[in-house]
Amino acid sequence: MNSRLEEAFRRLESQDLRGGPPLERYTSEIWGFIDQKFPEFAPEWFRELTQRFRIGGADFVYPIDDERDYLGHCTVLRPSFALHCFHFGYPFPRLYEQNYFCYAEADDGNMWIFQNNTDDDPEVLFLESTAWDGGEVTTENGLICSKVSLSQFLIYGADWRPEDEDQNGTEQD
């Protein structure tokens, strides 16, 4: 198990202390239901970490594109929502066929993904749905590469605070 990634999951789970609805842990039963539709849709290390750490529902903004600050919202899929999406939602079959795994949603149907067959700390990718024609996922067809690993991305999310919140999690006037 990659210790940087394990630490990132642990730190992101601590975001639960900010208030709002509690974050959720995936269960082996949820992963079993997902496997019924998409076998091995998530790498084993991701499954194991989401069963140990509550990160479902973690929410932050990552600046994926300096020229378009409206991109970058990230909400890690809650287990029940992930199950619904994987069973009924487009474009998960297309992503599955191309060996991409979606672990978080963004605004306007955009998604945070990584390649399912990579190492245990993959590069974070952003799929801009309005720039993707549903075909092969490429940088010319909706894909934005972040140049950061999943562990770096999640640590950023754990440390991120909304602009109207101070260091202690208190809203500013």
Side-chain angles (χ1 to χ4, degrees), residues 6 8 34-35 46 56 61 65 68 79 98 129 161 165 173:
E6 190 170 357
I34 292 169
D35 278 338
F46 187 84
V61 176
D65 186 335
R68 299 181 296 165
Q98 295 181 50
S129 63
R161 298 289 178 264
E165 187 176 289
D173 291 328

Side-chain angles (χ1 to χ4, degrees), residues 56-112:
D59 189 65
F60 57 94
V61 176
Y62 183 84
I64 191 71
D65 186 335
D66 293 336
E67 295 177 14
R68 299 181 296 165
D69 61 356
Y70 58 89
L71 293 179
H73 180 255
C74 176
T75 302
V76 177
L77 297 175
R78 288 186 178 276
S80 59
F81 185 68
L83 186 58
H84 177 79
C85 287
F86 294 155
H87 273 265
F88 299 111
Y90 176 82
F92 296 99
R94 292 293 297 141
L95 294 173
Y96 179 72
E97 291 167 4
Q98 295 181 50
N99 213 22
Y100 286 99
F101 176 69
C102 175
Y103 59 93
E105 62 178 328
D107 295 330
D108 301 324
N110 300 323
M111 294 167 273
W112 293 96

Side-chain angles (χ1 to χ4, degrees), residues 22-33:
L23 301 181
E24 298 175 26
R25 188 178 282 121
Y26 281 67
T27 64
S28 59
E29 182 179 40
I30 291 286
W31 284 116
F33 287 136

